[in-house]
Amino acid sequence: MKLLNSREVNKKYSLNYVRLVLNIGVKDPQPAEGQSFDGVPGNTPALSTKIGSIPSKQSRRAQDRQLKSASDSNVFQLQIQELLAKVRPSHGSRMEKVEIALRKLQRVIELIPNREPTTVLRAEKKLRESHNITIPFPEPRPGLEVNYLLAYAKPENINIVGSYARKSAVRVHGRLMIDLAVTMPSNVFQRKDYLNYRYFYKRAYYIACIAAGIQGGQDCNYNVAFTYQNGNHLQPILIINPVLDGGEDDFSKSKCQIRIILAASGCLFPIAKTLPHKNCIRSKVLHTQSPEMLPAATPLYNATMRSECSTLSYLELLHKTSTYCDSFRDACVLGSIWLQQRGFGSDLADGGFGQFEWACVTAILLRGGGSKEKPVLSKGYNYCQLFKAALQYLAITDLTLNPLIVYSDHVDFGVHKCPLFFDGERGLNILFKMTTWSYNTLRHEARLTIKTLNEPLGDKFNPSFITRINELFYRFDYIFSIPIASTWKPSGERFDSSDRVTRFCQELFDVLTTGLGDRIKLIHPQTTKDPMWPITTPNPSLNSRAVVVVGMLLNVEQSGRTVDHGPLAEDKNAAAAFRAFWGEKAELRRFKDGSIQESLIWSTADSSHSVLDRIVAHILRRHMGQETAEGINFVGNAFESLLPKSKGSDPLAIYQPLTKAFETLAKEIRSIEGLPLQIRQISATSPHLRYASYDTPNLSSYGYCAQPVSVYVQFEGSTRWPDDLVGIQRTKIAFLLKIGELLQESTSGMILRLGLENEHQEFLNQAFLDLIYPTGATFRLRIYHERELSILEHLLRDKLNDFEKRAEIASAISAYKRDFVQGPLHTEAVRTLSTRFPLLSPSIRIMKKWRDSHLLSLHISDELIEILTIRTFVQPDPWQTPGSVMTGFLRTLAFISKWDWQSEPLIVDFGHEISTDDVEGISLRFAAWRNIDPGMNRFVVFAASNLDKDGISWTEQGPSKVVAARFTSLARAACKLMKEQALNMEPSALFATSTAEYDFIIHLNPKFISNNLGQDRQRAYLKNLQIQSSWNTSLVGIDPIRLFLEEISRLYGKIVLFFHGVNNGSCIGGLWSPQTRLRDWKVNMTYSTLPTLRPGDADGKIAINKIATLHDIARLGGDMVSRIEERR
């Protein structure tokens, strides 16, 4: 969406027009026929409608979307062009030193002398004695009885490969990787070296010899270390970092890192020997086995070897594709950025799909892969189209069920679990490093991005390329970490080259997928990357990555299910398999429909652990061992425990008694007879009725709800209503008296109380009727009459009224719209969304708890918190809709921490009803307000929706700039703490109240805090068995702390900024206003002062008398104030 700034507003619209747009009751002026707002004839787009015809609403909406789509497409292209210009590495003076280092390394490697063939033992001993280098042999290490020899010979060639060579490199975590490929000569290998790790033992010796040559090379001063190429322990490589000596080859300022990788000749081994379904790790007892017991295939081992034989071939393929398709290079850069933001890379720990894999897949699809070997992608696409087409292919094509085999006929790879994108010309499955879970995650992310790119409204660029998607707590709904216990043993014999950690993840994925079923949408185990290690030390243990982190996306409707139905008892095989998997937890039950099935019953008695916790713990205990299960660390579950528990798994169940009470009241009001006018509508506005209050409505026969629910009754129009505000208020009182009289006749046990509010404010509503049911449900009834708004608007336009009266009228209009119009609409919308998104309600409630914990309740309205949380659910891009309270809460905090409320309006579409014109109108209105009020004195935060396009209904009374800035800083601090603590995060730490910034703290008596009033009544009931007639109904709607805050805010609000939390109300924080600092004396000061004379001052100044002011506040509070702590 395009947001106009104040300069654009001044250019396109006069200030008078802006004031007209913002004026109450005045519609936007339209340009004259053939004339646009900027005065250029014909500048407005013509619509394809017939002369004299009126386009329908649907056709206008479609035309709007077409125009907006074209505009957004142009903006999107410009944003991508700017992004590409920024990410391309500059080849300036800093990169010249990298080139010097690359040439020097090439020269040094070429000068390394040959080494005669020798045994493994002698090769290790000689390198250790001469250069103190340990050969990085992969596991299992070669035995002493092997009869082959290790040798080193001059490389066939040395080439710069990878994305840097084809000028499509992207920095990863701020660092640019440059690959220098050394092609090993064929004469150091033998024909059978593809078997039993022999090739990898020889390449390990070869890379160690290169390390020795660089270490002993003349004028070659670098930090050299070993690491694994792409996390594959079969491929140790060298990492070259500069020594900070300021020399000509000191490339430290370029933030680059050079990797020396190994390659082999493409014809070193036959492709037929290294196909994915072949076995190249032969068992010693293979000759004794029957054909049915042949060892399993070794696809990772085979593909790793084949990938080194294809390095130069893929370099040639990608170079030719860059010439064949002009947009290929830029599309690869976009793909690299997209992958990096989602945590994908070529490393096994990063999913095994990175820049190289994206480029190869795209290049092959540009040349084939379709029906009859036709290209899947067109070379005529621009880079945006090519990127989106490649992404769509990944999203919709399941290469596990439907593998793609190109340039190869009549090849059957049998059963395979992992994705297969087989390049027959080079004999390599390009996706060989991908696991089932990483491929599922890749497709999931691709689908989400395609959905974002296809949205007609909203931002496409930031969710696709800028936002970091792989933040653990934002990405997954359910997270736990699990150690790999020393006692864990992999099931089955090891034939492939997967290390212990990878096999643990595979077994973990398999048992969790089987056990959790439709409770989850996605499972993603994660491990840490292998570190570098010095060339003088042995390889680090492959078991050093001892902890696996598992992230899940939940199916909200099924994840909390307490009963699982298994197979029917008649199905013996399925029932046996079910019992074998679940063990003693499985039991045979007869259900209401008469069926006898295997089943699982999960208890919810222990509130500290969810149903999902219990299932995961049981699965891991049974299939991964007791020691493994005991080490599980469930992360983030404590968020839900911070909320009052509901009955059962339905988070809305705690609100049902009050909701039913309201429905009963509405039915009773509609059914009464004897009213002079028919009732048009009955609506309510209350956090309780929209499932959004932190405190739960506890209805009981021994007490009533302290805060009544606001209910509005609107009658049908009639000319008999008075035309003045005073008469309308009197009529309202008469109606309320009549309603109360009729309700009391029809409903037994109801207590009624007529009251007045705003007695000294003639423009606000004054009458209400409290209705107290025997169940404890309490409602406050008010009359809504639309004629009041037109009268107030007429008075506002009356020039005879002075400024103060006009301001009072404007405030009354805002209150009228907020209470009678926007309030019921907002309540109904949030109520509907809470049933649509079951986790919206608890997410809103925990957001309010966070706000209250940081004493912001006086400034951040309930409705603003609700709108911010709703945005997380209805506009979840670039993630999917939150599936847990933790995800909904933390994503909302993340948005607040990044939201620039000074220059960006918040626009939330509750129900896909907002149009292009609406978005542009809201943006224009926001820019106009900023133009008229650049100091943000009238309002600070602009929060609009499809229900409230004015954007200030819930922010006009706060927050101020100071509070809004604190709101943002607190959210940033919470996000920072979450990242720092990571898996050790304690949710309660995010809710810890900090009072260090306040100038004074008013500590309140716990007996007067609203949360304790109901508990006091309950204890009194249990002790004295009070009856309903003893209720003190005069306390309905009375909150002593709230009234105290209103009074001190009215008296001292200009000199003190007060902070308080409704649900964490043990104290009130205060900040002295800057205007209370030292200043010259003048008459009519509005606060108590003291004369102050500092050394060197010719005249004395005055300062606020803080002690007297605080004493006055304490005196007003009386018994409610236990003490005041003065700090500054």
Side-chain angles (χ1 to χ4, degrees):
M1 58 189 70
K2 184 175 183 291
L3 306 180
L4 302 177
N5 56 33
S6 57
R7 183 176 299 177
E8 291 174 313
V9 172
N10 282 331
K11 181 178 178 181
K12 292 188 69 175
Y13 303 95
S14 67
L15 190 59
N16 290 332
Y17 169 73
V18 171
R19 294 188 184 279
L20 280 173
V21 172
L22 298 178
N23 197 12
I24 297 176
V26 181
K27 296 182 179 180
D28 294 0
Q30 300 297 321
E33 185 176 356
Q35 184 79 11
S36 68
F37 275 129
D38 57 0
V40 181
N43 195 42
T44 53
L47 301 178
S48 57
T49 55
K50 295 181 180 180
I51 298 176
S53 65
I54 300 177
S56 65
K57 182 178 180 180
Q58 290 79 7
S59 64
R60 290 198 306 270
R61 184 71 58 85
Q63 290 164 347
D64 287 345
R65 290 186 183 276
Q66 290 175 0
L67 295 173
K68 183 67 166 58
S69 177
S71 174
D72 284 349
S73 177
N74 294 332
V75 173
F76 186 63
Q77 296 256 7
L78 292 174
Q79 289 173 320
I80 288 182
Q81 289 175 10
E82 184 178 0
L83 175 66
L84 292 173
K86 288 182 178 180
V87 299
R88 290 191 186 101
S90 60
H91 294 269
S93 58
R94 293 181 178 179
M95 297 305 295
E96 289 178 359
K97 292 191 175 184
V98 178
E99 300 288 345
I100 293 173
L102 289 169
R103 288 193 292 269
K104 184 176 289 188
L105 288 170
Q106 180 180 4
R107 185 167 59 252
V108 168
I109 295 172
E110 289 175 343
L111 294 176
I112 296 175
N114 294 349
R115 293 177 182 264
E116 294 298 324
T118 184
T119 63
V120 172
L121 186 61
R122 293 186 60 185
E124 284 190 292
K125 182 178 180 181
K126 191 171 183 180
L127 274 178
R128 190 181 304 111
E129 291 176 349
S130 61
H131 294 87
N132 192 26
I133 290 178
T134 302
I135 301 176
F137 287 125
E139 294 289 344
R141 291 175 54 82
L144 299 178
E145 71 281 0
V146 297
N147 55 6
Y148 50 83
L149 303 177
L150 308 181
Y152 178 86
K154 182 179 179 180
E156 290 185 1
N157 50 61
I158 302 174
N159 299 286
I160 299 175
V161 298
S163 56
Y164 182 80
R166 56 181 194 273
K167 297 182 179 180
S168 62
V170 175
R171 295 186 183 273
V172 179
H173 305 303
R175 186 174 294 275
L176 184 65
M177 304 298 296
I178 301 175
D179 290 342
L180 191 64
V182 177
T183 305
M184 299 175 289
S186 300
N187 57 8
V188 300
F189 297 100
Q190 295 176 319
R191 186 171 60 89
K192 292 286 187 178
D193 278 350
Y194 64 88
L195 295 173
N196 297 337
Y197 297 96
R198 286 167 52 174
Y199 168 82
F200 295 106
Y201 295 150
K202 292 184 176 182
R203 79 172 297 286
Y205 176 69
Y206 199 93
I207 197 71
C209 292
I210 293 177
I214 295 175
Q215 187 186 64
Q218 294 183 352
D219 193 25
C220 189
N221 191 18
Y222 299 106
N223 290 323
V224 185
F226 284 127
T227 191
Y228 292 123
Q229 182 177 347
N230 298 326
N232 190 335
H233 77 276
L234 297 176
Q235 296 176 285
I237 59 174
L238 292 177
I239 293 291
I240 308 297
N241 287 309
V243 176
L244 306 179
D245 58 0
E248 64 174 0
D249 58 347
D250 179 8
F251 56 93
S252 56
K253 293 184 178 180
S254 66
K255 296 182 179 180
C256 294
Q257 197 173 64
I258 298 174
R259 300 196 311 173
I260 296 180
I261 65 175
L262 297 182
S265 171
C267 57
L268 181 61
F269 304 119
I271 291 179
K273 299 294 185 180
T274 59
L275 291 175
H277 64 289
K278 297 289 185 178
N279 175 274
C280 292
I281 304 176
R282 303 294 170 82
S283 171
K284 294 181 180 180
V285 296
L286 180 63
H287 63 280
T288 66
Q289 294 178 339
S290 62
E292 293 79 9
M293 298 178 61
L294 289 176
T298 54
L300 179 63
Y301 176 98
N302 301 355
T304 302
M305 188 160 35
R306 178 52 55 190
S307 66
E308 295 201 343
C309 296
S310 309
T311 301
L312 299 183
S313 179
Y314 279 111
L315 177 64
E316 181 182 3
L317 169 67
L318 298 178
H319 174 73
K320 288 182 178 180
T321 306
S322 299
T323 306
Y324 169 75
C325 177
D326 295 336
S327 58
F328 174 71
R329 184 180 290 110
D330 287 339
C332 288
V333 173
L334 290 179
S336 300
I337 297 170
W338 183 85
L339 290 169
Q340 180 179 331
Q341 296 301 89
R342 283 148 185 82
F344 283 101
S346 294
D347 197 287
L348 289 170
D350 290 335
F353 192 91
Q355 301 177 23
F356 173 76
E357 288 76 17
W358 176 282
C360 290
V361 167
T362 306
I364 291 175
L365 293 178
L366 279 167
R367 295 178 175 272
S371 60
K372 299 181 180 179
E373 296 299 327
K374 292 182 179 179
V376 174
L377 307 177
S378 170
K379 69 174 183 177
Y381 288 159
N382 63 34
Y383 51 84
C384 291
Q385 294 170 329
L386 185 58
F387 163 78
K388 184 177 179 181
L391 198 65
Q392 190 159 357
Y393 178 84
L394 293 174
I396 65 177
T397 307
D398 189 346
L399 295 173
T400 304
L401 299 176
N402 302 298
L404 179 66
I405 303 173
V406 293
Y407 312 131
S408 181
D409 297 328
H410 309 295
V411 179
D412 182 14
F413 296 115
V415 179
H416 53 90
K417 292 183 178 180
C418 297
L420 188 62
F421 191 102
F422 188 73
D423 179 6
E425 183 176 335
R426 297 161 189 84
L428 179 67
N429 174 22
I430 295 175
L431 308 183
F432 75 94
K433 296 192 295 294
M434 298 200 77
T435 57
T436 306
W437 58 87
S438 67
Y439 181 63
N440 291 341
T441 305
L442 177 70
R443 295 189 65 213
H444 170 77
E445 296 292 350
R447 286 192 292 268
L448 290 179
T449 304
I450 290 297
K451 179 183 176 183
T452 300
L453 294 175
N454 289 335
E455 287 288 340
L457 297 175
D459 185 15
K460 300 177 178 63
F461 177 72
N462 286 297
S464 300
F465 301 108
I466 302 301
T467 305
R468 293 285 298 178
I469 311 300
N470 64 325
E471 295 288 350
L472 187 67
F473 292 98
Y474 304 150
R475 190 177 199 174
F476 297 111
D477 303 321
Y478 184 82
I479 302 166
F480 66 90
S481 62
I482 180 171
I484 303 178
S486 58
T487 57
W488 177 79
K489 301 295 183 183
S491 59
E493 185 180 352
R494 169 181 172 173
F495 290 109
D496 206 352
S497 56
S498 300
D499 59 25
R500 189 167 184 266
V501 174
T502 304
R503 299 186 72 186
F504 180 87
C505 290
Q506 184 63 59
E507 289 194 23
L508 181 66
F509 174 82
D510 291 340
V511 297
L512 288 177
T513 301
T514 302
L516 296 177
D518 63 351
R519 296 176 187 270
I520 51 142
K521 298 179 179 178
L522 186 73
I523 301 178
H524 186 83
Q526 295 181 197
T527 59
T528 56
K529 291 185 179 181
D530 290 299
M532 297 185 296
W533 71 94
I535 58 176
T536 58
T537 62
N539 314 23
S541 171
L542 295 176
N543 301 326
S544 60
R545 299 173 291 169
V547 176
V548 176
V549 179
V550 180
M552 298 183 187
L553 295 179
L554 303 182
N555 182 352
V556 179
E557 289 76 16
Q558 301 294 335
S559 60
R561 188 176 64 237
T562 57
V563 179
D564 285 325
H565 296 265
L568 293 172
E570 293 82 1
D571 191 345
K572 301 297 183 182
N573 293 333
F578 187 85
R579 285 189 171 274
F581 184 87
W582 291 106
E584 72 284 353
K585 192 68 179 176
E587 54 184 82
L588 200 62
R589 282 178 171 254
R590 181 188 296 274
F591 292 93
K592 292 182 179 180
D593 59 357
S595 62
I596 301 176
Q597 295 177 260
E598 297 286 348
S599 61
L600 303 168
I601 308 298
W602 303 102
S603 172
T604 58
D606 182 9
S607 60
S608 61
H609 290 285
S610 65
V611 170
L612 211 57
D613 293 349
R614 292 183 176 83
I615 298 174
V616 170
H618 177 80
I619 292 172
L620 298 186
R621 187 180 302 109
R622 178 164 179 80
H623 295 279
M624 308 296 286
Q626 180 67 28
E627 185 179 350
T628 299
E630 289 176 353
I632 302 175
N633 174 30
F634 295 105
V635 183
N637 280 359
F639 282 105
E640 293 192 40
S641 66
L642 296 173
L643 296 172
K645 285 293 181 181
S646 61
K647 297 179 180 179
S649 59
D650 185 5
L652 308 184
I654 52 178
Y655 298 99
Q656 293 307 316
L658 186 61
T659 302
K660 291 180 179 178
F662 170 70
E663 293 172 352
T664 301
L665 172 65
K667 187 182 298 184
E668 289 175 350
I669 293 177
R670 291 185 183 278
S671 63
I672 60 178
E673 299 179 356
L675 293 175
L677 294 176
Q678 292 294 323
I679 293 175
R680 178 189 297 175
Q681 185 177 6
I682 300 174
S683 56
T685 171
S686 170
H688 289 311
L689 289 184
R690 55 180 182 259
Y691 314 125
S693 62
Y694 173 74
D695 59 317
T696 58
N698 296 318
L699 303 188
S700 63
S701 59
Y702 57 78
Y704 50 82
C705 293
Q707 294 300 319
V709 174
S710 295
V711 178
Y712 303 110
V713 176
Q714 181 183 9
F715 291 96
E716 64 180 5
S718 173
T719 57
R720 291 181 290 175
W721 277 93
D723 287 333
D724 63 286
L725 294 176
V726 175
I728 291 176
Q729 296 299 330
R730 298 293 184 269
T731 306
K732 285 184 177 182
I733 294 174
F735 267 114
L736 291 173
L737 285 171
K738 187 63 175 177
I739 291 174
E741 177 186 338
L742 296 175
L743 280 176
Q744 211 161 21
E745 293 176 358
S746 60
T747 306
S748 62
M750 178 184 290
I751 300 176
L752 294 94
R753 189 187 67 165
L754 183 68
L756 295 177
E757 59 187 354
N758 307 315
E759 298 100 318
H760 304 295
Q761 301 182 46
E762 59 177 314
F763 302 114
L764 296 177
N765 181 78
Q766 295 179 347
F768 65 84
L769 178 67
D770 282 344
L771 308 172
I772 305 174
Y773 276 83
T775 59
T778 308
F779 301 94
R780 178 158 289 180
L781 206 65
R782 296 180 178 90
I783 304 296
Y784 165 34
H785 181 48
E786 65 275 11
R787 175 66 177 152
E788 287 179 278
L789 179 59
S790 59
I791 294 174
L792 289 171
E793 290 176 345
H794 176 74
L795 292 174
L796 182 64
R797 290 190 290 267
D798 189 351
K799 297 182 179 179
L800 297 178
N801 293 323
D802 57 20
F803 176 79
E804 291 185 0
K805 190 170 184 178
R806 287 167 62 88
E808 187 179 353
I809 295 171
S811 177
I813 292 175
S814 298
Y816 181 92
K817 290 182 177 180
R818 181 172 58 251
D819 296 339
F820 292 106
V821 180
Q822 292 299 330
L825 289 175
H826 179 82
T827 296
E828 185 61 30
V830 176
R831 178 183 172 86
T832 302
L833 289 172
S834 295
T835 55
R836 176 183 168 193
F837 302 110
L839 294 172
L840 174 60
S841 171
S843 298
I844 290 175
R845 294 169 60 200
I846 202 166
M847 271 300 302
K848 290 183 178 180
K849 177 179 176 61
W850 180 82
R851 174 204 61 183
D852 296 343
S853 298
H854 296 289
L855 309 184
L856 298 176
S857 302
L858 297 178
H859 308 279
I860 309 294
S861 67
D862 282 353
E863 290 79 7
L864 178 57
I865 292 292
E866 291 160 13
I867 292 173
L868 287 167
T869 312
I870 287 171
R871 182 204 168 276
T872 302
F873 283 80
V874 299
Q875 298 168 209
D877 297 336
W879 299 284
Q880 72 163 18
T881 303
S884 68
V885 176
M886 175 190 71
T887 313
F889 170 65
L890 293 179
R891 284 191 202 167
T892 305
L893 283 184
F895 172 76
I896 295 171
S897 69
K898 298 175 182 178
W899 177 29
D900 182 9
W901 40 264
Q902 298 185 55
S903 57
E904 296 178 8
L906 173 65
I907 305 176
V908 180
D909 186 3
F910 287 0
H912 302 287
E913 297 177 359
I914 203 163
S915 66
T916 304
D917 289 342
D918 293 333
V919 173
E920 292 178 351
I922 292 170
S923 301
L924 173 62
R925 190 172 290 106
F926 170 78
W929 270 117
R930 287 292 187 257
N931 181 71
I932 289 178
D933 183 23
M936 293 180 283
N937 297 314
R938 175 71 185 277
F939 78 95
V940 175
V941 174
F942 193 96
S945 67
N946 57 304
L947 302 178
D948 176 26
K949 299 181 179 64
D950 291 338
I952 60 174
S953 293
W954 312 115
T955 59
E956 191 171 12
Q957 296 181 325
S960 62
K961 286 186 290 186
V962 173
V963 177
R966 178 164 177 78
F967 189 48
T968 302
S969 64
L970 286 170
R972 288 174 180 168
C975 295
K976 180 181 178 182
L977 180 65
M978 177 202 66
K979 292 179 182 178
E980 291 174 348
Q981 294 185 347
L983 298 177
N984 299 318
M985 180 183 65
E986 184 60 41
S988 60
L990 301 179
F991 299 85
T993 304
S994 173
T995 59
E997 297 83 2
Y998 298 116
D999 295 330
F1000 61 89
I1001 302 295
I1002 304 173
H1003 295 275
L1004 301 173
N1005 188 332
K1007 291 194 298 184
F1008 292 91
I1009 298 174
S1010 59
N1011 290 345
N1012 297 329
L1013 294 177
Q1015 297 175 8
D1016 292 341
R1017 286 197 299 270
Q1018 183 176 3
R1019 286 193 293 267
Y1021 165 74
L1022 294 174
K1023 182 177 181 181
N1024 301 320
L1025 298 178
Q1026 294 177 349
I1027 58 174
Q1028 178 183 338
S1029 59
S1030 65
W1031 290 358
N1032 187 358
T1033 57
S1034 62
L1035 296 180
V1036 171
I1038 301 298
D1039 182 355
I1041 301 298
R1042 177 177 58 83
L1043 295 175
F1044 173 57
L1045 281 165
E1046 289 177 357
E1047 184 171 11
I1048 60 176
S1049 297
R1050 178 174 54 84
L1051 295 174
Y1052 304 103
K1054 293 183 179 180
I1055 60 173
V1056 180
L1057 190 61
F1058 293 102
F1059 294 85
H1060 179 64
V1062 173
N1063 296 300
N1064 187 32
S1066 60
C1067 64
I1068 298 173
L1071 289 175
W1072 298 110
S1073 171
Q1075 72 178 16
T1076 62
R1077 295 171 183 169
L1078 286 176
R1079 59 185 300 174
D1080 295 330
W1081 180 87
K1082 67 175 183 178
V1083 297
N1084 296 328
M1085 295 294 291
T1086 58
Y1087 54 89
S1088 177
T1089 59
L1090 283 175
T1092 303
L1093 183 63
R1094 297 185 303 182
D1097 288 345
D1099 298 324
K1101 294 183 179 294
I1102 62 170
I1104 185 172
N1105 189 344
K1106 296 181 180 179
I1107 296 177
T1109 303
L1110 294 179
H1111 283 176
D1112 290 342
I1113 291 175
R1115 189 161 48 252
L1116 286 171
D1119 293 339
M1120 287 186 292
V1121 177
S1122 60
R1123 64 187 176 92
I1124 296 181
E1125 178 185 351
E1126 185 181 3
R1127 297 179 172 179
R1128 286 181 285 274

